Amino acid sequence: MARYDTEVLVVGAGAVGVAVARELCRFRTRVLVADRLNDVGGDASKSNSAIVHTGFDAEPRTLESETVVHANPLFDRLCRDLEIPFIRCGAILVATTEEEEEALPRIMQRAEQNQVFDVEYLTAQRARRLEPALTSARAGLLVPGESIVDPFLLVVAQAENAAQNGVEFLTSCEIERIERSAQTFVVSSTLGEIRARFVVNAAGLRGDVVSHMVGIEDFTVHPRRGQFHVIDRSAPLGIRHIILPVPTKLTKGTLLTPTVHGNWLIGPTAEEMEDRCAHETTADGMEEIVRGAGRLVPGFDPRHVITQYAGLRAVRTPGGYHLRSFARVPGFIELSGIRSTGITASPVVARRALAMLRAAGLETQPDEDFVATRTGIPAFRDLDDVERAALIERDQRYGRIVCRCETVTEAEIVQAVQRTPGARDMDGVKRRVRAGLGRCQGGFCGSRVPRILSELLGVPLERVTRNGLGSELLAGPTRAPGDSP
Amino acid sequence: MNRVACDVAVVGGGPGGLAAAIGARETGARRVVVIERDGHLGGILQQCIHNGFGLSILEKDLTGPEYAHHYVSEALERGVRCFTNAMAIGLSPDRRITAVSPEAGLITIEARAVVLAMGCRERTRGAVWLPGTRPAGIMTAGAAQRFINIDGYLPGRRIVVLGSGDIGMIMARRLHLEGCIVEAVVEYRGTVGGLTRNLVQCIRDFDIPLYLRHTVTAIRGTRRVTGVDISPVDEGGAPDASRSQTLACDTLLLSVGLIPENELSKQAGVQLDEGTGGPIVNESFHTSVPGVFAAGNVLHVYDLVDDVTRCALAAGTSAARFAADYEATGPSTDAAARIVPGAGVRSVVPQRLSAHLPDTVEFHLRASTEGRRRTLELTGRQRGTVYRRRCPVVRASEMVRATVRGIGASGDDELTFRIGENCGEP
Ligand SMILES: Cc1cc2nc3c(=O)[nH]c(=O)nc-3n(C[C@H](O)[C@H](O)[C@H](O)COP(=O)(O)OP(=O)(O)OC[C@H]3O[C@@H](n4cnc5c(N)ncnc54)[C@H](O)[C@@H]3O)c2cc1C
Ligand SMILES: Cc1cc2nc3c(=O)[nH]c(=O)nc-3n(C[C@H](O)[C@H](O)[C@H](O)COP(=O)(O)OP(=O)(O)OC[C@H]3O[C@@H](n4cnc5c(N)ncnc54)[C@H](O)[C@@H]3O)c2cc1C
């Protein structure tokens, strides 16, 4: 087993963990990020609504609302620097009943308490002018700052940029035990021992498990599941804003949102679960969200659904964001309770983590060689014909289209694998360059991408996985010709 | 950038595309081009190594690759120019195709006529809303077929097949012969979705358990499939999860339908038919966009490749005529009459008839009812019944043919196909 030495160990490579890593990589500090999954961003940060919230509807005067409100404006720069798809599309909150209409002033007031001052009232007419599909709207609110992002690329781009600036990433590395001896933490993981002066707990849904390892046992975390349908971009929906229902006391309800890649999402459900692996979708859940979407957009046609997924919110008890350090465990930082807004909040949470680390004694010498930008993988799909021809000229593999629905070329897949941290499996390729995410859901590229992975990773085809050991795609070679049955 | 000008450009080098190219050459088109994204011509047939192809058109019992080879040779002998490894990614209404290939780079093809022959793709888990976890080990039957027959890899060892389309049944047999355990073929409806001959030769002959009126209600396993729950469905079609049973397996194959592949058609503005999922065409296979024709599974899913070849030859012929004389055959939007599916009929091709009808027109229908001793009728608003024939057996999974003579004179602008109980005749 290997041994690793580092100054800061970040446990968890979700949106929060990688944001911390990227914050720290500006300094000459040794940072290691460990995640139990085969890739970065493999848990809540990959399966959510992908909205960068303004915080207009958050509970005022909480750490969460403050963090979210301050995080939203940071995204333009972050996404420009790191070439992350990000669109300021705005949201429309629609009231379809009298009762809902009466709730609007209260929501408006809350937005003002949260310092979100650009929310506007919409009459039914104006709502329909903005989104003709909202035929049942009686009134609404326009929230211009609500935006959409590719949450997975948000994670990958920050991880790549952090790696470029010297941060090390360990995947398939589960932290199992943390002991303290003198000034260091001695951490046992599935990949070996890690010694660190500081540990940042960014383990999301398993944050309680990690904090328990250092004797902090004043909270628990359980999953609240959210199921979604993905709607094909060819559906005649035409909706460009995020469409939100008026929340009830019980639930925030089903929303409908465009994605930065031109599809739409409808969802999520909110189901209290026990199992932290309860990622399954259910027949009831799928129907519930279609009904919900139908309330927002009458006549919503579910035939254009291409796939479903479910994400688990990390519900902390007691609730609320907790960004903490502890006198009795100096050097340990806990970032917990980041339940439904962590994609948005992550850059500000990372700043706070940095401040707490400094307060705990971390030295932060600016790194002269820090590179603030990262270039994305040029997407063939988004280029014009002249640019396309030039790319193929440079690299023939840009001329081989591997994913027909999303028009992803072999060259893009090769880059997804060769970057650091790179794709190691089908899901990793899919999330980085979208091969297999389109309407045929890998029917075509599902047999081509494994070959490319097998070649680049130097493993036989039957060892190529969907998302890590145990998820092999194939059982093995067929019998050699001539073998008797 | 590469520029190619031609008389007829065919998108897709499967049996549909090849026959269209051959038909176009035989009708006198000089420059005929086929664009195929795969490394080889032959389309889906390359992976269909079972036999049963060509029985009607070639009067031989061939395997898929043999059948394909026959038409690949014919096309090449006739001087059809083929781009392989070339994916068409754009088609404009003025028949300009953009394709990309590693060798030739970006290719622009300006064609006097275009034949769409992109085939179809399989429906997936997401489209049928299968609940449960998302582990490895779920794939479409066609993808599994490719892994086994082209790549030489088994998708798993213990298999459940959902859906009893032809590919599903053929794959159940194939996996059984490869030494896998096929736990079940599970079908939602009361009859199999594919041809009766496949039910006999692939399922019954090998004693593979077939669960009719059942469906999968949950997928189990987090990394790799460990099992599926199957439940009976009641009369109303709702699954009864209280009577579910878990079948242990490591693989779930889906054979739950095919969808004509019409992304390019949509780009060009071709009107599609909701019933078939393919372009609306007239008797010359002319779509709503002038000079754009359709052939093979892109038009509607055929049962037999022999029919694909026959119809595609005709489509190629029409395309060549159009290329020679732009006005020879008007697009389906200039139609003199519409053909509509009535009671008992899900879809019909062609959907339009032009003013210059030939003496006979062959229609292909999908029934929406099943049963014995039915009557197929074509009636016009004004003229009443134009055609009537008895069908001993009608099955939703088997295409119904109708060769109708002399409708040209009917003068009706709308004719309806119906399949009903045997009416009257002894
Ligand atoms: C249905 C749903 C919708 C949402 N919609 C939005 C939205 O629109 N906008 C928004 O801003 N937020 C949204 N969120 C919330 C957002 O997704 C989360 O707040 C955010 O992803 C949390 O990031 P994280 O890094 O804390 O957690 P995660 O992404 O879950 O990362 C934690 C990581 O820690 C790893 N880990 C855990 N234990 C260990 C261990 N012992 N050793 C090593 N690694 C470990 C895990 O593998 C995981 O990768 C939504 C969430 C859900 C579920
Ligand atoms: C498993 C299976 C078993 C079958 N068994 C039988 C049988 O026993 N008997 C029988 O008669 N029939 C059988 N069939 C049916 C027969 O294979 C089809 O009817 C026939 O292949 C349809 O021909 P096609 O040319 O329309 O489509 P395809 O064969 O699918 O060819 C379409 C071609 O277009 C290409 N293409 C698509 N899009 C593009 C693009 N944008 N650019 C470039 N190229 C593109 C594809 O790569 C493909 O090569 C079977 C089919 C399957 C799948």
Side-chain angles (χ1 to χ4, degrees), chain B residues 370-396:
Chain B
E370 306 217 309
R372 295 181 179 279
R373 288 199 300 275
R374 298 296 163 104
T375 301
L376 169 67
E377 255 185 4
L378 177 64
T379 50
R381 275 199 239 187
Q382 275 112 52
R383 224 180 53 165
T385 304
V386 194
Y387 171 88
R388 168 185 291 202
R389 150 169 103 75
R390 296 176 58 182
C391 308
V393 189
V394 170
R395 301 192 55 218

mmCIF file of all heavy atoms in Angstrom, chain B residues 370-396:
data_model
loop_
_atom_site.group_PDB
_atom_site.id
_atom_site.type_symbol
_atom_site.label_atom_id
_atom_site.label_comp_id
_atom_site.label_asym_id
_atom_site.label_seq_id
_atom_site.Cartn_x
_atom_site.Cartn_y
_atom_site.Cartn_z
ATOM 1 N N GLU B 370 -55.536 -7.229 -33.733
ATOM 2 C CA GLU B 370 -55.030 -8.553 -34.045
ATOM 3 C C GLU B 370 -56.213 -9.487 -34.151
ATOM 4 O O GLU B 370 -57.232 -9.271 -33.507
ATOM 5 C CB GLU B 370 -54.129 -9.047 -32.916
ATOM 6 C CG GLU B 370 -53.009 -8.097 -32.576
ATOM 7 C CD GLU B 370 -51.740 -8.810 -32.210
ATOM 8 O OE1 GLU B 370 -51.808 -9.699 -31.344
ATOM 9 O OE2 GLU B 370 -50.687 -8.513 -32.809
ATOM 10 N N GLY B 371 -56.076 -10.538 -34.926
ATOM 11 C CA GLY B 371 -57.127 -11.546 -34.949
ATOM 12 C C GLY B 371 -57.170 -12.274 -36.280
ATOM 13 O O GLY B 371 -56.398 -11.982 -37.203
ATOM 14 N N ARG B 372 -58.095 -13.223 -36.343
ATOM 15 C CA ARG B 372 -58.243 -14.016 -37.565
ATOM 16 C C ARG B 372 -59.406 -13.492 -38.390
ATOM 17 O O ARG B 372 -60.283 -12.808 -37.881
ATOM 18 C CB ARG B 372 -58.518 -15.475 -37.201
ATOM 19 C CG ARG B 372 -57.345 -16.101 -36.501
ATOM 20 C CD ARG B 372 -57.606 -17.558 -36.154
ATOM 21 N NE ARG B 372 -56.401 -18.063 -35.508
ATOM 22 C CZ ARG B 372 -55.323 -18.474 -36.174
ATOM 23 N NH1 ARG B 372 -55.302 -18.479 -37.489
ATOM 24 N NH2 ARG B 372 -54.257 -18.884 -35.514
ATOM 25 N N ARG B 373 -59.396 -13.905 -39.639
ATOM 26 C CA ARG B 373 -60.489 -13.589 -40.569
ATOM 27 C C ARG B 373 -60.904 -12.118 -40.525
ATOM 28 O O ARG B 373 -61.993 -11.766 -40.086
ATOM 29 C CB ARG B 373 -61.689 -14.500 -40.274
ATOM 30 C CG ARG B 373 -61.420 -15.942 -40.715
ATOM 31 C CD ARG B 373 -62.714 -16.710 -40.850
ATOM 32 N NE ARG B 373 -63.453 -16.759 -39.606
ATOM 33 C CZ ARG B 373 -63.239 -17.661 -38.638
ATOM 34 N NH1 ARG B 373 -62.328 -18.580 -38.802
ATOM 35 N NH2 ARG B 373 -63.948 -17.641 -37.553
ATOM 36 N N ARG B 374 -60.012 -11.280 -40.961
ATOM 37 C CA ARG B 374 -60.330 -9.856 -41.020
ATOM 38 C C ARG B 374 -60.437 -9.418 -42.469
ATOM 39 O O ARG B 374 -59.996 -10.125 -43.376
ATOM 40 C CB ARG B 374 -59.230 -9.032 -40.334
ATOM 41 C CG ARG B 374 -59.055 -9.343 -38.870
ATOM 42 C CD ARG B 374 -60.318 -8.971 -38.117
ATOM 43 N NE ARG B 374 -60.338 -9.600 -36.807
ATOM 44 C CZ ARG B 374 -60.076 -8.950 -35.667
ATOM 45 N NH1 ARG B 374 -59.766 -7.684 -35.696
ATOM 46 N NH2 ARG B 374 -60.139 -9.580 -34.528
ATOM 47 N N THR B 375 -60.975 -8.244 -42.648
ATOM 48 C CA THR B 375 -61.062 -7.681 -43.994
ATOM 49 C C THR B 375 -60.310 -6.359 -44.025
ATOM 50 O O THR B 375 -60.435 -5.545 -43.110
ATOM 51 C CB THR B 375 -62.523 -7.428 -44.385
ATOM 52 O OG1 THR B 375 -63.209 -8.667 -44.315
ATOM 53 C CG2 THR B 375 -62.613 -6.887 -45.802
ATOM 54 N N LEU B 376 -59.555 -6.201 -45.082
ATOM 55 C CA LEU B 376 -58.828 -4.951 -45.283
ATOM 56 C C LEU B 376 -59.532 -4.194 -46.400
ATOM 57 O O LEU B 376 -59.830 -4.758 -47.452
ATOM 58 C CB LEU B 376 -57.384 -5.276 -45.679
ATOM 59 C CG LEU B 376 -56.531 -4.124 -46.192
ATOM 60 C CD1 LEU B 376 -56.279 -3.121 -45.073
ATOM 61 C CD2 LEU B 376 -55.210 -4.655 -46.731
ATOM 62 N N GLU B 377 -59.793 -2.924 -46.139
ATOM 63 C CA GLU B 377 -60.562 -2.136 -47.103
ATOM 64 C C GLU B 377 -59.931 -0.775 -47.310
ATOM 65 O O GLU B 377 -59.439 -0.163 -46.366
ATOM 66 C CB GLU B 377 -61.938 -1.857 -46.508
ATOM 67 C CG GLU B 377 -63.039 -2.666 -47.093
ATOM 68 C CD GLU B 377 -64.368 -2.224 -46.512
ATOM 69 O OE1 GLU B 377 -64.426 -1.251 -45.723
ATOM 70 O OE2 GLU B 377 -65.355 -2.868 -46.876
ATOM 71 N N LEU B 378 -59.993 -0.313 -48.545
ATOM 72 C CA LEU B 378 -59.602 1.068 -48.824
ATOM 73 C C LEU B 378 -60.825 1.763 -49.411
ATOM 74 O O LEU B 378 -61.377 1.320 -50.424
ATOM 75 C CB LEU B 378 -58.434 1.099 -49.818
ATOM 76 C CG LEU B 378 -57.955 2.486 -50.256
ATOM 77 C CD1 LEU B 378 -57.382 3.272 -49.084
ATOM 78 C CD2 LEU B 378 -56.907 2.373 -51.361
ATOM 79 N N THR B 379 -61.247 2.833 -48.741
ATOM 80 C CA THR B 379 -62.442 3.516 -49.235
ATOM 81 C C THR B 379 -62.166 4.999 -49.437
ATOM 82 O O THR B 379 -61.404 5.599 -48.688
ATOM 83 C CB THR B 379 -63.618 3.394 -48.249
ATOM 84 O OG1 THR B 379 -63.142 3.763 -46.957
ATOM 85 C CG2 THR B 379 -64.179 2.004 -48.203
ATOM 86 N N GLY B 380 -62.789 5.524 -50.447
ATOM 87 C CA GLY B 380 -62.666 6.948 -50.726
ATOM 88 C C GLY B 380 -63.910 7.675 -50.263
ATOM 89 O O GLY B 380 -64.971 7.061 -50.126
ATOM 90 N N ARG B 381 -63.777 8.970 -50.024
ATOM 91 C CA ARG B 381 -64.926 9.737 -49.565
ATOM 92 C C ARG B 381 -66.045 9.711 -50.596
ATOM 93 O O ARG B 381 -67.200 9.545 -50.268
ATOM 94 C CB ARG B 381 -64.516 11.184 -49.323
ATOM 95 C CG ARG B 381 -63.944 11.367 -47.950
ATOM 96 C CD ARG B 381 -63.999 12.813 -47.582
ATOM 97 N NE ARG B 381 -62.641 13.254 -47.314
ATOM 98 C CZ ARG B 381 -62.343 14.455 -46.838
ATOM 99 N NH1 ARG B 381 -63.273 15.323 -46.630
ATOM 100 N NH2 ARG B 381 -61.118 14.773 -46.582
ATOM 101 N N GLN B 382 -65.657 9.894 -51.872
ATOM 102 C CA GLN B 382 -66.685 9.946 -52.894
ATOM 103 C C GLN B 382 -67.005 8.571 -53.468
ATOM 104 O O GLN B 382 -68.147 8.202 -53.611
ATOM 105 C CB GLN B 382 -66.252 10.868 -54.038
ATOM 106 C CG GLN B 382 -66.568 12.311 -53.766
ATOM 107 C CD GLN B 382 -65.292 13.112 -53.563
ATOM 108 O OE1 GLN B 382 -64.401 13.067 -54.384
ATOM 109 N NE2 GLN B 382 -65.212 13.821 -52.459
ATOM 110 N N ARG B 383 -65.970 7.826 -53.762
ATOM 111 C CA ARG B 383 -66.201 6.661 -54.592
ATOM 112 C C ARG B 383 -66.498 5.394 -53.803
ATOM 113 O O ARG B 383 -66.755 4.346 -54.372
ATOM 114 C CB ARG B 383 -64.999 6.442 -55.494
ATOM 115 C CG ARG B 383 -65.423 6.114 -56.910
ATOM 116 C CD ARG B 383 -64.241 5.897 -57.798
ATOM 117 N NE ARG B 383 -63.316 4.915 -57.250
ATOM 118 C CZ ARG B 383 -62.371 4.348 -57.968
ATOM 119 N NH1 ARG B 383 -62.216 4.670 -59.225
ATOM 120 N NH2 ARG B 383 -61.570 3.466 -57.414
ATOM 121 N N GLY B 384 -66.412 5.482 -52.493
ATOM 122 C CA GLY B 384 -66.656 4.272 -51.702
ATOM 123 C C GLY B 384 -65.469 3.321 -51.787
ATOM 124 O O GLY B 384 -64.338 3.755 -51.983
ATOM 125 N N THR B 385 -65.755 2.041 -51.681
ATOM 126 C CA THR B 385 -64.675 1.055 -51.601
ATOM 127 C C THR B 385 -63.913 0.926 -52.923
ATOM 128 O O THR B 385 -64.505 0.694 -53.971
ATOM 129 C CB THR B 385 -65.255 -0.304 -51.199
ATOM 130 O OG1 THR B 385 -65.953 -0.118 -49.970
ATOM 131 C CG2 THR B 385 -64.154 -1.327 -51.012
ATOM 132 N N VAL B 386 -62.609 1.083 -52.831
ATOM 133 C CA VAL B 386 -61.754 0.992 -54.004
ATOM 134 C C VAL B 386 -61.048 -0.366 -54.015
ATOM 135 O O VAL B 386 -60.607 -0.858 -55.036
ATOM 136 C CB VAL B 386 -60.664 2.081 -53.955
ATOM 137 C CG1 VAL B 386 -60.000 2.230 -55.306
ATOM 138 C CG2 VAL B 386 -61.222 3.385 -53.484
ATOM 139 N N TYR B 387 -60.911 -0.926 -52.817
ATOM 140 C CA TYR B 387 -60.127 -2.144 -52.690
ATOM 141 C C TYR B 387 -60.627 -2.894 -51.470
ATOM 142 O O TYR B 387 -60.971 -2.285 -50.465
ATOM 143 C CB TYR B 387 -58.651 -1.767 -52.508
ATOM 144 C CG TYR B 387 -57.724 -2.900 -52.160
ATOM 145 C CD1 TYR B 387 -57.122 -3.668 -53.151
ATOM 146 C CD2 TYR B 387 -57.450 -3.192 -50.819
ATOM 147 C CE1 TYR B 387 -56.258 -4.705 -52.817
ATOM 148 C CE2 TYR B 387 -56.589 -4.219 -50.484
ATOM 149 C CZ TYR B 387 -55.994 -4.974 -51.480
ATOM 150 O OH TYR B 387 -55.145 -5.989 -51.159
ATOM 151 N N ARG B 388 -60.671 -4.205 -51.581
ATOM 152 C CA ARG B 388 -61.048 -5.011 -50.430
ATOM 153 C C ARG B 388 -60.383 -6.367 -50.549
ATOM 154 O O ARG B 388 -60.301 -6.931 -51.631
ATOM 155 C CB ARG B 388 -62.564 -5.177 -50.381
ATOM 156 C CG ARG B 388 -62.990 -6.241 -49.383
ATOM 157 C CD ARG B 388 -64.448 -6.455 -49.435
ATOM 158 N NE ARG B 388 -65.121 -5.278 -48.908
ATOM 159 C CZ ARG B 388 -66.356 -5.309 -48.440
ATOM 160 N NH1 ARG B 388 -67.031 -6.438 -48.429
ATOM 161 N NH2 ARG B 388 -66.916 -4.231 -47.998
ATOM 162 N N ARG B 389 -59.871 -6.841 -49.405
ATOM 163 C CA ARG B 389 -59.235 -8.156 -49.446
ATOM 164 C C ARG B 389 -59.410 -8.794 -48.086
ATOM 165 O O ARG B 389 -59.492 -8.097 -47.068
ATOM 166 C CB ARG B 389 -57.757 -7.961 -49.790
ATOM 167 C CG ARG B 389 -56.802 -8.969 -49.236
ATOM 168 C CD ARG B 389 -55.436 -8.820 -49.876
ATOM 169 N NE ARG B 389 -54.458 -8.143 -48.998
ATOM 170 C CZ ARG B 389 -53.877 -8.735 -47.957
ATOM 171 N NH1 ARG B 389 -54.179 -9.957 -47.613
ATOM 172 N NH2 ARG B 389 -52.977 -8.088 -47.247
ATOM 173 N N ARG B 390 -59.450 -10.130 -48.080
ATOM 174 C CA ARG B 390 -59.572 -10.816 -46.793
ATOM 175 C C ARG B 390 -58.189 -11.162 -46.270
ATOM 176 O O ARG B 390 -57.285 -11.499 -47.013
ATOM 177 C CB ARG B 390 -60.397 -12.073 -46.973
ATOM 178 C CG ARG B 390 -61.811 -11.705 -47.404
ATOM 179 C CD ARG B 390 -62.652 -12.885 -47.693
ATOM 180 N NE ARG B 390 -62.745 -13.768 -46.536
ATOM 181 C CZ ARG B 390 -63.410 -14.907 -46.537
ATOM 182 N NH1 ARG B 390 -64.024 -15.297 -47.634
ATOM 183 N NH2 ARG B 390 -63.457 -15.666 -45.472
ATOM 184 N N CYS B 391 -58.031 -11.027 -44.966
ATOM 185 C CA CYS B 391 -56.757 -11.367 -44.334
ATOM 186 C C CYS B 391 -57.041 -12.501 -43.358
ATOM 187 O O CYS B 391 -57.764 -12.300 -42.374
ATOM 188 C CB CYS B 391 -56.192 -10.200 -43.538
ATOM 189 S SG CYS B 391 -56.088 -8.676 -44.458
ATOM 190 N N PRO B 392 -56.484 -13.695 -43.613
ATOM 191 C CA PRO B 392 -56.728 -14.822 -42.717
ATOM 192 C C PRO B 392 -56.274 -14.503 -41.283
ATOM 193 O O PRO B 392 -56.971 -14.803 -40.334
ATOM 194 C CB PRO B 392 -55.902 -15.949 -43.309
ATOM 195 C CG PRO B 392 -55.533 -15.523 -44.688
ATOM 196 C CD PRO B 392 -55.633 -14.048 -44.754
ATOM 197 N N VAL B 393 -55.110 -13.877 -41.146
ATOM 198 C CA VAL B 393 -54.597 -13.523 -39.815
ATOM 199 C C VAL B 393 -54.035 -12.108 -39.873
ATOM 200 O O VAL B 393 -53.335 -11.766 -40.822
ATOM 201 C CB VAL B 393 -53.419 -14.443 -39.388
ATOM 202 C CG1 VAL B 393 -53.059 -14.185 -37.923
ATOM 203 C CG2 VAL B 393 -53.752 -15.900 -39.621
ATOM 204 N N VAL B 394 -54.350 -11.311 -38.861
ATOM 205 C CA VAL B 394 -53.731 -9.983 -38.768
ATOM 206 C C VAL B 394 -53.002 -9.889 -37.442
ATOM 207 O O VAL B 394 -53.576 -10.197 -36.396
ATOM 208 C CB VAL B 394 -54.795 -8.867 -38.863
ATOM 209 C CG1 VAL B 394 -54.174 -7.515 -38.529
ATOM 210 C CG2 VAL B 394 -55.407 -8.840 -40.247
ATOM 211 N N ARG B 395 -51.735 -9.522 -37.492
ATOM 212 C CA ARG B 395 -50.967 -9.344 -36.258
ATOM 213 C C ARG B 395 -50.304 -7.972 -36.302
ATOM 214 O O ARG B 395 -49.841 -7.542 -37.356
ATOM 215 C CB ARG B 395 -49.881 -10.429 -36.136
ATOM 216 C CG ARG B 395 -50.441 -11.842 -36.140
ATOM 217 C CD ARG B 395 -49.362 -12.812 -35.721
ATOM 218 N NE ARG B 395 -48.806 -12.418 -34.443
ATOM 219 C CZ ARG B 395 -47.519 -12.534 -34.144
ATOM 220 N NH1 ARG B 395 -46.669 -13.023 -35.014
ATOM 221 N NH2 ARG B 395 -47.086 -12.153 -32.966
ATOM 222 N N ALA B 396 -50.269 -7.332 -35.142
ATOM 223 C CA ALA B 396 -49.682 -5.992 -35.090
ATOM 224 C C ALA B 396 -48.215 -6.042 -35.498
ATOM 225 O O ALA B 396 -47.663 -5.072 -35.997
ATOM 226 C CB ALA B 396 -49.827 -5.416 -33.685
#
